[in-house]
Amino acid sequence: AQKITQTQPGMFVQEKEAVTLDCTYDTSDPSYGLFWYKQPSSGEMIFLIYQGSYDQQNATEGRYSLNFQKARKSANLVISASQLGDSAMYFCAMREGYSSASKIIFGSGTRLSIRP
Amino acid sequence: GAVVSQHPSWVICKSGTSVKIECRSLDFQATTMFWYRQFPKQSLMLMATSNEGSKATYEQGVEKDKFLINHASLTLSTLTVTSAHPEDSSFYICSASGTGGYSNQPQHFGDGTRLSIL
């Protein structure tokens, strides 16, 4: 069965510093996708970045990058030059298989707080 | 980009009432939608997978008769919490992907419904 683990319940980071949010996963399916979502206090889920199991390079989207280490089964999110607006819950998630109709399972989340 | 609309945003009702939550994909067709439940400061727990034109697939431990799901069209899924009680109070959120997509397509989420049962 698929499993996502986020071991950091909360993190405090100084504004403008980089931050890494940890995520490890477990699956027996060779085909899978990894996602990171941001959830502000208002509750909506904001898609940040995606990494496929067969992707050769780490995904990047603006200030977000994903440090994908397949052998270690880790998919850490790196936020460069953090901003006050980055304060939110961050969820790592995984989908097994090829289809977008497959379910996505979420980790327990990390609450990130940016200090001015 | 893809938009998913969820209605209502807030519901406060008395114990024993049934509550219906709607999830609509506004600019794409969604064969499959998903319903999640989130308690305060916790993660999203998948409740069920809603399939257009067929029965929903429920996760282990989720009561089918308590949480009725209907996916009557490619743009609408509904979740009905039947005979709601205070322990059903939670944040319910739906998501959807376009039809025939590959695994790199993200789920697009509605803004969620905060349900409070008095």
Side-chain angles (χ1 to χ4, degrees):
Chain A
Q2 57 181 343
K3 185 178 179 181
I4 291 282
T5 303
Q6 294 179 255
T7 57
Q8 306 155 310
M11 290 188 70
F12 287 90
V13 173
Q14 203 68 30
E15 189 180 9
K16 299 181 184 178
E17 289 184 351
V19 57
T20 298
L21 305 182
D22 295 341
C23 173
T24 58
Y25 61 92
D26 191 21
T27 178
S28 57
D29 194 326
S31 300
Y32 54 88
L34 297 159
F35 303 82
W36 277 92
Y37 283 86
K38 173 183 178 181
Q39 186 181 40
S41 56
S42 50
E44 73 269 28
M45 296 292 287
I46 302 169
F47 166 69
L48 297 178
I49 197 166
Y50 166 83
Q51 180 84 43
S53 60
Y54 295 115
D55 292 344
Q56 296 295 315
Q57 297 191 349
N58 288 343
T60 60
E61 289 287 348
R63 293 187 300 114
Y64 303 108
S65 60
L66 201 152
N67 184 359
F68 181 46
Q69 298 189 39
K70 195 170 182 177
R72 290 186 172 185
K73 293 189 174 180
S74 73
N76 299 340
L77 176 70
V78 180
I79 306 175
S80 63
S82 57
Q83 303 171 357
L84 296 178
D86 293 333
S87 294
M89 280 291 290
Y90 288 80
F91 292 101
C92 181
M94 179 171 67
R95 171 195 279 146
E96 291 180 326
Y98 290 106
S99 171
S100 62
S102 299
K103 61 186 180 183
I104 289 181
I105 301 299
F106 287 82
S108 56
T110 296
R111 180 168 296 280
L112 177 63
S113 300
I114 308 298
R115 293 190 178 117
Chain B
V3 177
V4 173
S5 173
Q6 190 171 338
H7 178 81
S9 301
W10 289 83
V11 179
I12 302 174
C13 58
K14 293 181 179 180
S15 183
T17 307
S18 290
V19 178
K20 180 184 282 188
I21 302 170
E22 292 186 348
C23 181
R24 294 181 184 273
S25 57
L26 297 185
D27 54 357
F28 66 99
Q29 294 183 329
T31 306
T32 305
M33 291 185 175
F34 302 89
W35 288 95
Y36 294 85
R37 182 175 184 177
Q38 186 180 30
F39 291 108
K41 298 184 180 181
Q42 294 189 23
S43 185
L44 279 72
M45 299 301 297
L46 180 65
M47 298 175 66
T49 302
S50 172
N51 303 300
E52 187 267 336
S54 65
K55 292 183 179 180
T57 304
Y58 289 82
E59 294 298 304
Q60 191 174 5
V62 177
E63 298 176 61
K64 301 178 183 182
D65 296 333
K66 177 72 171 177
F67 300 99
L68 300 179
I69 291 172
N70 183 275
H71 195 152
S73 76
L74 285 171
T75 58
L76 174 63
S77 175
T78 60
L79 168 68
T80 300
V81 184
T82 61
S83 187
H85 289 94
E87 59 267 26
D88 298 322
S89 299
S90 189
F91 185 63
Y92 294 87
I93 191 165
C94 69
S95 71
S97 294
T99 57
Y102 292 97
S103 63
N104 62 342
Q105 283 194 12
Q107 294 283 335
H108 301 286
F109 283 83
D111 287 341
T113 297
R114 297 191 186 279
L115 176 62
S116 295
I117 308 299
L118 305 178

